Every structure is written in structure tokens, then in C-alpha cells.
Amino acid sequence: EVEAARERVRGQALAMEVGSEIRGIAKAIRVEYERLGYNVPEVEIGVSEPELSDSVDAPIKIWRSSGYFDSDDPPLVGSFPEISQQIKEAKCFTNDGSWIWKDLERRLRGLGLTARQARSRLSNLPEKLYDNMVPIGVHFGGISFFTDQPFTEADFATARRFGEVFGVAYRRHL
């Protein structure tokens, strides 16, 4: 089951022609994880520009896929030195992901929903969320899986396989 899901993501990733298609790959990963039985409200893929990849302070572009709405909002761009250092060291890790609540509400409000409508749309979002990050082997890049439980070692092993698939396709794209 995991291999079939991974192959579907791999096919989409290898077909990527422009960087903006990364959002679609994030969505494919989120959908496949939901098929595997995970509660994954959001998946994010972040990569730095190749020419800036030697610095943990390099800006990272983050493409997001939410299970709560489809959006063509531009990628988030920022510098995340602590996260970049962990990715540089090829570490998998879990952070508190509860901040995603406010971010999702802000993004829904940006689509024209009232605060009440946005909160209603997010009513089934778990109260506590975890940001489970795996490196993708490209520059300072990683995939974040926002889930209702922290990843176990087995979960990280599965996520790493998806990260490797994306990393190979992304290197090919460069």
C-alpha cells in the first residue's frame, strides 16, 4: 500500500515542469497519507534556492496543501535557521504545529470568509497538531506533515521515503 502511494507521488513529481507544481505534489502527498489512514490537515514542501543553499539563513520557499481549502496563494518565503540546521544534518524531527490553526484561519479569511465561517470550516481540526519534518536531500529542503499525533520512528521511515522520491524528482527538475 505504501509503495503504491509512493509510486503515485513519484509519477507526479517526475512529471513536474515548473516549480509552482510543487503545491500539487504536496497535495498528492497529503491525499496519499490520508488514504494510508493518517489525519493530515496540511502538508508543506519547502526548498531553498540552489545558489543560496550553503547558508542555514537562506530563504526557503514553502508550498502548502491544506485539506480545508484549495488555494493558489504564492509560496511562503522565509528564513528558518533552526529548522534549516536540522535539515542540513538530515534529521527528522517533530515540533509543536499548533500555530497552523491561526495560519489556516488567516488564509481562509483572505479568501473572503468571516472569522466565524473560517472557524466553522476548521471545526474538525484537532486541538493539538504536530509538525513532523523530514529532509528531502535537496539543499535546505524538507516536507512537513501536520498531524494529530507525533510521528513514530516507523512513521518517519515512511515519510522519509516520500521525501526521497520528491528529492530525486526535484533534483531532476533543476
Side-chain angles (χ1 to χ4, degrees):
E1 203 174 341
V2 171
E3 282 307 309
R6 190 173 153 250
E7 283 303 309
R8 286 188 289 272
V9 169
R10 185 173 91 66
Q12 186 169 343
L14 287 172
M16 178 175 55
E17 294 182 8
V18 294
S20 61
E21 292 178 66
I22 293 173
R23 176 178 285 106
I25 297 165
K27 181 176 182 177
I29 292 170
R30 184 180 49 75
V31 167
E32 293 299 338
Y33 258 72
E34 288 173 354
R35 284 183 186 157
L36 293 171
Y38 289 87
N39 180 7
V40 184
E42 177 128 325
V43 168
E44 298 179 351
I45 298 176
V47 294
S48 67
E49 298 297 326
E51 64 275 6
L52 302 174
S53 64
D54 290 335
S55 169
V56 293
D57 293 318
I60 296 175
K61 285 185 181 177
I62 300 173
W63 286 267
R64 315 182 218 194
S65 172
S66 172
Y68 292 92
F69 58 93
D70 283 326
S71 173
D72 290 330
D73 53 333
L76 173 70
V77 178
S79 179
F80 310 95
E82 287 181 23
I83 293 172
S84 293
Q85 185 60 42
Q86 289 175 305
I87 290 171
K88 184 178 181 181
E89 296 169 6
K91 291 183 180 176
C92 295
F93 56 93
T94 300
N95 289 325
D96 179 1
S98 298
W99 60 268
I100 199 72
W101 263 97
K102 287 192 182 295
D103 184 63
L104 287 169
E105 185 177 331
R106 178 191 56 77
R107 288 160 54 198
L108 285 167
R109 299 280 312 272
L111 295 174
L113 274 67
T114 65
R116 175 181 245 161
Q117 290 169 323
R119 281 192 290 278
S120 175
R121 173 94 54 100
L122 299 172
S123 64
N124 64 343
L125 188 66
E127 189 172 314
K128 177 75 174 167
L129 285 171
Y130 298 88
D131 176 3
N132 303 284
M133 173 82 71
V134 296
I136 58 176
V138 178
H139 317 303
F140 291 116
I143 301 177
S144 282
F145 299 80
F146 288 86
T147 60
D148 57 351
Q149 296 292 318
F151 272 9
T152 64
E153 288 301 317
D155 295 330
F156 274 125
T158 300
R160 216 181 246 284
R161 291 163 68 193
F162 280 86
E164 290 165 359
V165 161
F166 175 77
V168 166
Y170 189 75
R171 277 191 297 278
R172 186 174 165 263
H173 168 71
L174 294 174

